[in-house]
Amino acid sequence: MTGNGGPGFLRVLAVDDEPPALDELAYHLRADPRVARLHTAGDATEALRVLRDDDVDVIFLDIRMPGLDGMELARVLRRFARPPAIVFVTAYDDGAADAFDLGATDYVRKPVRAERLAEALRRVVGSRVVPSHPAALARAEEDPTIPVELAGSTRMLPRSAVRWVEAQGDYARLHTTEGSHLVRVSLATLADRWADAGFVRIHRSYLVQLRLIAELRLVNSGYVVIVDGTELPVSRRHTRELKDKLVRAAKQEWSR
């Protein structure tokens, strides 16, 4: 099923096996001026049929569906040469960690609200170039997101907002300028995935953004770094590597 959403530029597919939920989602999406074309599908099989016949920029995808569920469909989409952005729309929050693993752009909780869907569309536009957008002249800077709980809802926090990360058992606490968020991802996992973005391990319990280190200071117990005015310990095993990375970063800055 296809419908127009006015003079927009986004090609959208909404997938939900419950007709009332799909109708509500489609209603809100059609009302958004950024949506040019909207397809709807009642299950993963129908969604794949739409994707075979039409180009889609973003999929608003329910998770719990009979047959191939939303997470399984998302894994299939990752194999596409040009996969669409994925926004999960679900009544449950237990899939947020898997959404992060799959690179979802957003994670919207049901019942859906127009302003929340508008925010999800803004994230889609901001996180990728939409080929059909006439103003898309340059590739958007990649800024992966991670799902966090905020005021009873799940939001996708941009990696660029994270200043440093603290291990708390099998969880990690992400520190930003506005507060902190506990997520169900280990520090080791984030250290591996975010290394290319400048995050460095300074301690078994701390991961920091290298460019945000204001100072490396020697104290009685060893070295500490200063990030946003906060002292974070540097373990002896990480001290040498950290010094080398700070020196290299400084040299690169001088050579510009």
Side-chain angles (χ1 to χ4, degrees), residues 8-251:
F9 52 86
L10 281 172
R11 300 162 297 185
V12 181
L13 170 60
V15 186
D16 199 308
D17 66 301
E18 298 181 358
L22 183 59
D23 289 346
E24 182 181 17
L25 179 59
Y27 172 80
H28 289 305
L29 289 171
R30 286 194 181 97
D32 193 289
R34 288 164 293 195
V35 176
R37 181 171 295 275
L38 176 69
H39 303 272
T40 60
D43 55 34
T45 300
E46 188 177 354
L48 289 171
R49 191 176 302 119
V50 171
L51 292 167
R52 180 193 62 196
D53 298 333
D54 293 277
D55 290 329
V56 170
D57 298 311
V58 55
I59 298 181
F60 284 77
L61 181 59
D62 186 27
I63 292 181
R64 299 193 180 182
M65 298 186 296
L68 198 69
D69 68 22
M71 289 293 179
E72 292 166 333
L73 176 57
R75 292 187 180 94
V76 172
L77 298 179
R78 290 186 70 185
R79 301 174 192 157
F80 283 26
R82 296 181 64 184
I86 297 173
V87 174
F88 286 110
V89 183
T90 177
Y92 308 94
D93 62 6
D94 56 1
D98 289 334
F100 168 61
D101 289 337
L102 291 168
T105 301
D106 209 341
Y107 192 95
V108 177
R109 293 284 299 278
K110 295 179 180 179
V112 296
R113 294 177 290 109
E115 59 269 24
R116 184 65 184 90
L117 288 178
E119 170 66 13
L121 287 167
R122 186 194 66 77
R123 291 178 181 274
V124 169
V125 175
S127 66
R128 61 190 281 129
V129 166
V130 180
S132 55
H133 191 334
L137 301 177
R139 182 179 178 82
E141 182 178 359
E142 185 179 1
D143 190 9
T145 56
I146 185 168
V148 300
E149 294 298 314
L150 184 63
S153 64
T154 303
R155 296 292 181 90
M156 304 302 284
L157 179 73
R159 182 178 62 190
S160 60
V162 179
R163 318 291 283 183
W164 50 281
V165 186
E166 179 182 5
Q168 294 191 347
D170 293 332
Y171 289 67
R173 182 168 292 281
L174 310 179
H175 292 265
T176 72
T177 56
E178 298 178 348
S180 68
H181 307 276
L182 191 65
V183 296
R184 288 183 289 181
V185 181
S186 71
L187 189 74
T189 297
L190 291 178
D192 180 60
R193 294 179 182 173
W194 290 2
D196 291 343
F199 283 84
V200 297
R201 194 78 172 261
I202 62 168
H203 188 278
R204 66 183 179 185
S205 298
Y206 294 96
L207 180 71
V208 303
Q209 172 56 263
L210 185 70
R211 62 180 174 81
L212 298 178
I213 295 177
E215 183 180 351
L216 175 64
R217 178 188 302 167
L218 180 62
V219 296
N220 293 334
S221 58
Y223 281 94
V224 298
V225 294
I226 311 299
V227 178
D228 292 343
T230 301
E231 286 191 1
L232 303 174
V234 180
S235 66
R236 189 170 298 177
R237 62 173 295 203
H238 290 99
T239 299
R240 172 68 62 159
E241 183 181 4
L242 177 60
K243 286 181 177 179
D244 290 344
K245 288 181 177 179
L246 287 171
V247 169
R248 286 199 299 269
K251 287 181 177 179

